[in-house]
Amino acid sequence: MISISQDLTRLGVFLSYAVVRGVRVSETTRFIDEMLRSEEERVRSVIGDVNRLTENPIVQAYRRFMWRLGIDPTKVRPSSEALARRVLHGSSLPRINSVVDIGNIVSLRTLIPIGLYDLDTVNPPFVLKLSEGYEEFAPIGSQGVERLRRGLPIIVDSRDLVIHIYPHRDSRYSMITSSTKNMLIVSCGVPGIPKSLVIEATESVVNMIRSVNPLVEVVEVKVVPYEG
């Protein structure tokens, strides 16, 4: 389903993923809202403030990776850090839908960037590679399309559609909506991040989706690059 280019595996990039089929996406339920609220309160209590967040070794590992690729993480935040910063500044996370909210809960809990993609809007297999400078990207939250510079880590499908800039932005063309039935979960790993934590993030999303969608079919959580 997903492969990683050699130049990125040499940099220590890895990921875990799972496929979930037969999912039902609804508006945010009271149960999920309460879980989100509880996680927001935990982050404020345990982390306390933004300065302590930036001292967290997980946050620092993603920042080091982004600096290495010439991306300023003080301006372009890893997605998990961006969620936590919003909460620490006193704001609640937006309630999107039952599935995206679950991804945000787990990302807040683990500080692992997590991407969720509608498999019926894209064409597998996928490749995580460095951009070549011709690619276009349609970020969630924007109506426009951006031309990407060379050297950005991106996930593309078999048509070269960019669905993710690693590890911080997703495409509106593959986002989870009320129409989504089949989805891909990706948890992002970089040097300094325990592989077990990245796997845990994917498994947690799967288990929480199962708790609200008991009849879903789940492909086992896999790790790329595979190490037997």
Side-chain angles (χ1 to χ4, degrees), residues 12-206:
V13 172
F14 65 98
L15 57 82
S16 69
Y17 74 90
V19 172
V20 180
R21 301 192 184 278
V23 68
R24 295 172 60 189
V25 182
S26 69
E27 294 183 358
T28 303
T29 64
R30 178 179 296 181
F31 174 66
I32 290 175
D33 179 69
E34 289 174 353
M35 285 196 295
L36 257 175
R37 195 181 308 276
S38 175
E39 192 58 37
E40 290 167 348
E41 292 173 355
R42 187 198 67 81
V43 167
R44 294 184 188 112
S45 174
V46 173
I47 298 179
D49 59 45
V50 172
N51 289 333
R52 287 188 61 191
L53 176 68
T54 57
E55 295 168 358
N56 184 285
I58 296 172
V59 172
Q60 289 181 343
Y62 289 110
R63 285 185 164 214
R64 285 194 302 271
F65 172 73
M66 294 177 75
W67 278 122
R68 189 172 182 182
L69 293 177
I71 305 169
D72 185 346
T74 67
K75 297 178 181 177
V76 180
R77 310 284 183 189
S79 60
S80 52
E81 180 185 348
L83 293 175
R85 290 177 73 89
R86 182 184 177 105
V87 170
L88 291 171
H89 281 304
S91 298
S92 295
L93 296 184
R95 273 48 174 173
I96 308 299
N97 59 50
S98 58
V99 170
V100 173
D101 294 340
I102 284 172
N104 286 342
I105 290 168
V106 176
S107 194
L108 267 182
R109 184 176 299 164
T110 61
L111 293 178
I112 299 297
I114 297 169
L116 308 175
Y117 310 100
D118 187 328
L119 278 175
D120 296 319
T121 64
V122 292
N123 284 0
F126 305 95
V127 180
L128 173 55
K129 65 176 186 176
L130 290 175
S131 61
E132 298 179 30
Y134 65 83
E135 299 89 350
E136 293 185 337
F137 178 65
I140 293 176
S142 169
Q143 296 303 311
V145 174
E146 302 174 7
R147 175 66 63 88
L148 299 181
R149 70 167 175 83
R150 186 178 180 88
L152 294 176
I154 56 175
I155 298 178
V156 300
D157 74 355
S158 62
R159 301 168 299 176
D160 260 358
L161 176 70
V162 181
I163 68 169
H164 178 70
I165 302 178
Y166 197 93
H168 62 95
R169 300 178 80 188
D170 289 325
S171 168
R172 65 177 182 268
Y173 294 145
S174 52
M175 67 183 186
I176 304 297
T177 70
S178 59
S179 301
T180 300
K181 304 299 180 188
N182 304 298
M183 60 179 290
L184 173 70
I185 303 164
V186 177
S187 298
C188 305
V190 299
I193 302 296
K195 187 166 292 186
S196 59
L197 184 61
V198 176
I199 295 170
E200 176 189 331
T202 303
E203 290 177 338
S204 295
V205 175
V206 166

